[in-house]
Amino acid sequence: MTVVQASVYVAGETVETDLDPVRALERARGRGGFAWISLVDAEDELVGRIMSDLGLHPIASRESLRSHQRSLFERYGDDLFVVLQPARYDDAAETVRCDEIDVIASRDLIVTVTRTDRIDLGDVRQRLEAHPDLARHGTTAVLWVLFECVITGYRAVLDGVENDIDEIEDQLFGDDPGVPRRIFDLQREVIDLAHATTPLPDVLSRLDDATAGDEKVSGVWESARGRAQYVADRVQSMRHTLDNALTIHATLVNQRLDEKMADLTVVQVRQNDQVKKISSWAAIGFAPTFVASLYGMNFRFMPELDQPWGYPMALALMALLSAGLFGIFKRNDWL
């Protein structure tokens, strides 16, 4: 559902709400405050028209109409353009959902554009209303609270991902065939999270430089930058852990394959030994069978048939052939 909310802040307090965006900006300038225009799930045509009516830089307006893959900061004239990507983690599905907040800020105007009603900026408004001294810093205060809320929101996401990584580490040494797919899917989610978090320290440093001339906000970005750097480092550590998990899993799979191949080789060696033994005894048994079958052909003119030592000679020949083959096979370690 499209929501257009315009509020006027003067001296750190909300003085008017539910105004027309252009009217809110005029009232803010007239009273020395700033206007916050929030556009939620609005169509591009409406967003572009409001941006044009507010007199914002055309490039910043155009950038707010397209989606971005990473958090970023750009300066267009007097307008600061910031992209933030708050994240949520679905533990059951093990997916990271990154949404987008586009922010255009100037001295007396800040416009936030969100493409989904899943992003609740009510917490930011409550912080500003609960701390008027913070809101006195103007649009920079809104930017700072936005960063604080987004960075704080990453904690639950990181804890959820870290818990799943611990579970994966426990599964690595099992035989679960779904582990590599789980690692790969979670790695893809962590990469998306890295796109949102890795640029944040640089974005905050550049924001610090962009607001360096304003003594009221001098140094407010340093603490946020430190927390953003911590988040970015944790995400990079998770990427390395998942990379290592894939490597370890591949190593374990190869090790198991090597063990199976070794077992198969042992079986094959044993089979070869048995085949050798069987073949050897078959050859030894074939020698007397060959001689006996030869002399059993009942031909009249066979050698030594009429000699009294012919039969003993045939037996001796059988024994000699068998003994010779036995010796050969024994020497070759076939028996």
Side-chain angles (χ1 to χ4, degrees):
M1 182 179 65
T2 299
V3 177
V4 179
Q5 186 174 2
S7 303
V8 177
Y9 293 82
V10 178
E13 296 183 353
T14 308
V15 295
E16 294 184 82
T17 58
D18 299 327
L19 298 174
D20 176 84
V22 175
R23 178 62 176 165
L25 179 57
E26 292 173 350
R27 296 286 292 171
R29 287 174 175 171
R31 303 184 63 175
F34 70 91
W36 180 5
I37 314 300
S38 178
L39 307 177
V40 179
D41 199 20
E43 295 182 355
D44 289 351
E45 182 181 354
L46 176 59
V47 174
R49 185 172 67 251
I50 292 175
M51 296 285 190
S52 178
D53 293 342
L54 293 172
L56 295 171
H57 196 283
I59 297 180
S61 301
R62 191 161 56 247
E63 283 293 313
S64 67
L65 297 178
R66 71 181 187 90
S67 60
H68 301 81
Q69 297 297 322
R70 300 172 182 269
S71 300
L72 62 87
F73 166 76
E74 297 293 343
R75 184 165 190 166
Y76 302 107
D78 294 330
D79 296 336
L80 308 180
F81 178 73
V82 177
V83 174
L84 292 173
Q85 294 189 324
R88 295 179 299 108
Y89 188 62
D90 185 343
D91 188 57
E94 295 187 358
T95 56
V96 176
R97 178 60 183 266
C98 292
D99 294 307
E100 182 176 328
I101 304 175
D102 295 337
V103 185
I104 303 177
S106 60
R107 183 181 59 82
D108 49 18
L109 173 65
I110 183 166
V111 180
T112 56
V113 181
T114 57
R115 298 297 179 182
T116 173
D117 56 7
R118 287 187 301 270
I119 301 176
D120 183 13
L121 298 181
D123 186 34
V124 179
R125 295 185 184 277
Q126 290 176 5
R127 286 199 186 191
L128 288 175
E129 293 169 359
H131 300 86
D133 55 329
L134 182 64
R136 288 191 184 96
H137 292 295
T139 57
T140 304
V142 182
L143 263 178
W144 183 81
V145 176
L146 274 171
F147 272 96
E148 286 292 312
C149 290
V150 170
I151 293 172
T152 301
Y154 288 137
R155 295 178 184 173
V157 177
L158 295 176
D159 290 342
V161 173
E162 207 163 59
N163 181 66
D164 289 332
I165 290 177
D166 291 340
E167 293 177 1
I168 287 174
E169 289 176 344
D170 293 335
Q171 287 180 292
L172 271 179
F173 296 96
D175 293 325
D176 188 350
V179 171
R181 180 68 185 184
R182 186 181 184 188
I183 295 174
F184 178 79
D185 289 343
L186 194 59
Q187 191 177 46
R188 184 174 55 192
E189 301 303 319
V190 171
I191 289 173
D192 290 341
L193 187 59
H195 289 164
T197 58
T198 302
L200 285 178
D202 179 64
V203 167
L204 288 163
S205 294
R206 294 177 63 192
L207 269 173
D208 195 9
D209 294 338
T211 58
D214 190 347
E215 295 182 358
K216 294 186 299 181
V217 297
S218 178
V220 299
W221 303 110
E222 187 59 30
S223 61
R225 197 192 73 80
R227 286 188 291 276
Q229 186 64 58
Y230 170 74
V231 169
D233 289 344
R234 280 187 69 182
V235 173
Q236 291 302 318
S237 176
M238 290 176 180
R239 291 187 65 180
H240 293 319
T241 300
L242 290 170
D243 287 341
N244 292 336
L246 274 178
T247 302
I248 291 172
H249 181 268
T251 302
L252 291 174
V253 169
N254 290 333
Q255 181 179 348
R256 294 189 186 105
L257 288 175
D258 290 342
E259 291 174 353
K260 290 181 180 179
M261 290 299 296
D263 293 340
L264 182 60
T265 301
V266 171
V267 172
Q268 290 176 337
V269 169
R270 290 175 180 172
Q271 289 177 340
N272 290 337
D273 290 341
Q274 295 297 325
V275 169
K276 288 179 181 179
K277 290 180 180 179
I278 294 172
S279 300
S280 299
W281 286 114
I284 292 170
F286 175 73
T289 302
F290 172 73
V291 175
S293 63
L294 184 64
Y295 276 88
M297 292 182 180
N298 295 322
F299 293 114
R300 289 182 58 193
F301 300 106
M302 293 186 68
E304 318 305 339
L305 285 180
D306 296 328
Q307 300 298 327
W309 42 266
Y311 180 69
M313 184 201 71
L315 293 178
L317 180 60
M318 294 178 189
L320 182 62
L321 288 174
S322 297
L325 289 173
F326 180 84
I328 292 172
F329 292 141
K330 191 71 174 177
R331 187 174 64 249
N332 292 332
D333 200 26
W334 281 36
L335 291 175

